[in-house]
Amino acid sequence: VRKNHTPQYVLQWQRWWNRWWVEHRIRPQFDSLGQYPAVHSPWSLQISGEKIIAGDFLHLISHRNKPVCLTTWRSKQQQGEITIGNYCLISPGVQITSAERISIGDNSMLAAEVVISDSDWHGIYNRVRPFRCSAPVTIHNNVWIGLRAIIGKGLSIGENSIVGAGSVVTNDVPANVIVAGNPARVVKNLNPKRRMLKREFLFQNGDEYWQKQHSIENIFAGNNSTVQWLRKHLFPDNKD
Ligand SMILES: CC(C)(COP(=O)(O)OP(=O)(O)OC[C@H]1O[C@@H](n2cnc3c(N)ncnc32)[C@H](O)[C@@H]1OP(=O)(O)O)[C@@H](O)C(=O)NCCC(=O)NCCS
């Protein structure tokens, strides 16, 4: 798609429909969901199970081809739980699956197709049950997990740390480091004294950030006409 021909009034309707879906179809699936959630393609989001909690300013980008999946399982022993802090970013294809407890701190960012699980789901000698193979995962504040990284059971990722793309994390990660590779090892240290711009910076004035984004979209859509929009759907050409 070279140009978005959607007219302003359709964009506004799409935003209204998105908000309606988030408030009436997505919010009830969380035990608690904070203020100002921004969910792209909320109809593709797959939420299953109880005890799924998210804070304010959740930015969740789902897509029909790469849905975000948040799943908690209930067993005889325990109920899984997923807790996501304030100002977190969750990208397309992220899968978070909990048998026990996964907590993600404020300002954390999960890149596309990150996988987090707090269980192996089968015991090493008991292949028919998830026997003694679950342990909580704790991702502290302001952690950035790169594209397609995998975080397994019982791990903790320290504040501000970064997990490189494609890493398989098998040991705890301390605060203020970059880990990468399989198995992930420390490749760099971060300077904790340096000022760090966190996602919360974007949302200092409530949802003003989103209002600005929408006004930019409206400016781009300023000259879009219904006729061109319909033509693009029916008879697209190489300028579309
Ligand atoms: C983690 C990351 C941010 C670090 O970037 P950086 O500070 O520029 O890192 P460098 O390139 O200096 O790499 C440092 C070392 O770690 C290694 N390394 C870095 N990323 C790696 C990775 N993902 N897997 C394996 N090794 C990696 C480098 O080869 C280098 O090793 P060397 O010192 O032996 O040469 C970056 O490598 C990365 O993974 N980016 C992807 C981010 C992402 O997923 N974004 C999606 C949008 S949210």
Side-chain angles (χ1 to χ4, degrees):
V1 178
R2 290 190 184 87
K3 178 167 165 45
N4 186 349
H5 288 277
T6 315
Q8 268 190 31
Y9 73 91
V10 178
L11 282 177
Q12 268 154 13
W13 186 84
Q14 285 172 340
R15 283 181 210 126
W16 179 87
W17 179 233
N18 175 297
R19 272 198 305 276
W20 186 91
W21 196 282
V22 171
E23 291 306 320
H24 295 88
R25 304 289 296 268
I26 300 298
R27 188 177 285 284
Q29 298 184 61
F30 282 79
D31 274 25
S32 155
L33 173 63
Q35 293 189 79
Y36 306 118
V39 185
H40 299 239
S41 182
W43 24 88
S44 67
L45 185 55
Q46 295 180 10
I47 300 180
S48 163
E50 293 174 37
K51 291 209 171 187
I52 301 181
I53 294 155
D56 296 335
F57 298 98
L58 175 67
H59 186 186
L60 207 150
I61 309 169
S62 194
H63 187 270
R64 65 176 187 281
N65 296 331
K66 281 189 186 171
V68 169
C69 303
L70 307 177
T71 310
T72 59
W73 285 89
R74 177 179 219 138
S75 64
K76 257 196 262 173
Q77 292 78 26
Q78 60 210 357
Q79 161 69 53
E81 180 179 333
I82 297 173
T83 308
I84 300 167
N86 299 322
Y87 310 106
C88 288
L89 169 66
I90 300 189
S91 308
V94 164
Q95 292 179 27
I96 305 176
T97 315
S98 172
E100 200 164 327
R101 181 168 48 79
I102 296 176
S103 64
I104 298 173
D106 296 344
N107 288 297
S108 290
M109 306 195 298
L110 311 186
E113 296 184 55
V114 161
V115 173
I116 305 174
S117 170
D118 62 5
S119 180
D120 294 331
W121 305 102
H122 301 272
I124 288 178
Y125 295 99
N126 182 344
R127 307 283 169 97
V128 295
R129 289 213 182 87
F131 187 67
R132 288 186 185 161
C133 61
S134 305
V137 171
T138 308
I139 295 171
H140 290 269
N141 292 340
N142 200 36
V143 165
W144 177 18
I145 303 182
L147 191 78
R148 291 195 170 167
I150 299 177
I151 316 283
K153 67 177 188 301
L155 297 176
S156 142
I157 317 272
E159 187 158 357
N160 300 328
S161 285
I162 302 175
V163 176
S167 303
V168 179
V169 183
T170 54
N171 288 303
D172 285 351
V173 174
N176 299 305
V177 296
I178 302 181
V179 296
N182 178 4
R185 309 250 185 252
V186 175
V187 292
K188 264 189 191 177
N189 290 298
L190 303 178
N191 178 357
K193 291 194 185 128
R194 242 179 101 161
R195 182 170 174 244
M196 196 170 296
L197 269 186
K198 303 178 186 171
R199 284 186 59 77
E200 64 194 27
F201 176 78
L202 296 172
F203 305 105
Q204 285 162 332
N205 302 316
D207 69 346
E208 194 182 282
Y209 170 80
W210 290 117
Q211 286 164 18
K212 278 190 191 152
Q213 298 294 318
H214 294 157
S215 16
I216 293 168
E217 274 174 21
N218 286 344
I219 292 167
F220 287 146
N223 295 327
N224 291 352
S225 69
T226 308
V227 173
Q228 283 299 324
W229 180 57
L230 291 173
R231 182 203 53 75
K232 179 226 153 174
H233 281 290
L234 298 173
F235 310 105
D237 65 25
N238 63 1
K239 291 193 209 68
D240 296 325

